[in-house]
Amino acid sequence: MTGLVEFVNALSVSLLAGAAVHQQLLRKLSANSDQGQFASNIRRRRHIIMFAGLLLFAASAASRTGTNWVLCLQLLAAVVSCAAVILNRKANSLPLTALAFVAVFGLAICQSLGSHAADEAGALPLLASTLHWAVAACWFGALAHTLLQPAGSNSSADDPARQATLSWRYAVLSLAAFAVLAVSGGILAFIHVHNVDALNSTGYGSVLKIKAALLIVLLLVVCASLLRNSPRRTQAANAKHKAAARFRRADWLHCGVLAAVLLASALLAARSPPGFAPFLNPQMWQLSSPDLKLSVEVQPVSGRPGQIRFRKT
């Protein structure tokens, strides 16, 4: 049940964060201007998806026991992000755009404060977790908003310039997001599971291996989309071909793999890591006497209950 709650929470944050990113993906395209044929439908659908994200977040928050100040701050950040996106009708207001993304980053910080990274010592785990959550939510949320928009509203299939611009923007987003996810996720994996025993003998390690496999699949899907689908989208638009349905199926596959990665992250959040990182959380015992001073550094061994490493000086 906890894993489901974590997944609903992650999904709600993604839908909220994705609204600001999707708005910027369509910035200055004619389909996103006030004179565009589908402009009002795009804004209306975007607002509906955002409010659905707020409802999902409220549902996941209500299922938690007690009053959590982190959830309260996260709800405030969600409301601010929604308000900034709604007020920024043409996506041309720099202050509102900055406010929306600051609120999105605030959502990710709150996610990290409630994660296992907050239990580790130092700023590195929190920084890596915040970047991981922010990028994952923006990437998945932007793709979800794109797919849930009315067909043909994100760009015109008969306009190769708009099609190429949108494909290029999403290609840059995908490559940058995957790079950040790989680096930050690798750091978090090494912090939470830092030896082979913990990786192979614990439930947390098993889920982590599944997530790593899904990320490899995601990389293949992203590369296939960039190398095959993006050029063919432009060619189809130039040739006036009705190929939107085929490309939309590829985008749904992309979204499905991202959703599976998000589910694996939620399952990791619901499980306890096998142990604290010894290089971040050393435990020191001091033994002293008038004739002898002994310092013993004790470190837990992840994946090996009851075993410790120690060094005396």
Side-chain angles (χ1 to χ4, degrees), residues 2 6 11 15 27 29-30 33 47 114 132 203 234 237 245 270 278 297 300:
T2 306
E6 293 292 344
L11 179 62
L15 295 180
R27 186 172 63 89
L29 296 180
S30 60
S33 65
H47 298 166
H132 198 73
T234 304
E297 180 180 343

Side-chain angles (χ1 to χ4, degrees), residues 49-122:
I49 297 171
M50 282 194 306
F51 290 134
L54 276 176
L55 289 176
L56 288 175
F57 179 81
S60 64
S63 64
R64 301 173 188 267
T65 58
T67 302
N68 192 328
W69 65 270
V70 175
L71 287 177
C72 295
L73 288 178
Q74 198 171 20
L75 180 60
L76 177 61
V79 172
V80 171
S81 176
C82 290
V85 171
I86 292 173
L87 293 175
N88 195 10
R89 289 171 55 87
K90 298 182 180 180
N92 59 358
S93 172
L94 182 59
L96 288 175
T97 300
L99 180 62
F101 281 102
V102 167
V104 167
F105 198 71
L107 286 171
I109 292 176
C110 292
Q111 285 289 111
S112 299
L113 290 175
S115 69
H116 301 307
D119 298 328
E120 300 284 352

Side-chain angles (χ1 to χ4, degrees), residues 88-271:
N88 195 10
R89 289 171 55 87
K90 298 182 180 180
N92 59 358
S93 172
L94 182 59
L96 288 175
T97 300
L99 180 62
F101 281 102
V102 167
V104 167
F105 198 71
L107 286 171
I109 292 176
C110 292
Q111 285 289 111
S112 299
L113 290 175
S115 69
H116 301 307
D119 298 328
E120 300 284 352
L124 179 61
L126 277 177
L127 177 61
S129 179
T130 299
L131 290 176
H132 198 73
W133 273 111
V135 172
C138 288
W139 188 9
F140 176 73
L143 183 57
H145 273 268
T146 301
L147 291 174
L148 293 175
Q149 288 290 335
S153 62
N154 294 294
S155 64
S156 172
D158 296 329
D159 191 330
R162 285 198 296 268
Q163 190 70 271
T165 300
L166 185 60
S167 296
W168 170 251
R169 289 178 180 179
Y170 188 74
V172 173
L173 172 66
S174 299
L175 288 176
F178 185 86
V180 175
L181 284 180
V183 173
S184 60
I187 292 173
L188 290 172
F190 183 72
I191 288 174
H192 294 315
V193 181
H194 41 276
N195 62 48
V196 178
D197 290 320
L199 187 65
N200 294 328
S201 62
T202 63
Y204 190 94
S206 300
V207 178
L208 185 62
K209 288 189 288 187
I210 294 175
K211 182 179 178 180
L214 288 172
L215 284 174
I216 294 175
V217 174
L218 180 61
L219 177 61
L220 296 177
V221 172
V222 169
C223 291
S225 177
L226 296 181
L227 296 177
R228 295 172 62 87
N229 287 345
S230 293
R232 290 182 179 181
R233 287 176 196 260
T234 304
Q235 292 172 5
N238 279 314
K240 310 295 184 182
H241 290 164
K242 301 297 183 182
R246 183 175 42 141
F247 294 133
R248 200 170 181 85
R249 286 195 296 269
D251 289 338
W252 275 111
L253 174 63
H254 191 170
C255 188
V257 178
L258 270 172
V261 173
L262 201 68
L263 177 60
S265 299
L267 293 177
L268 287 176
R271 293 174 177 266

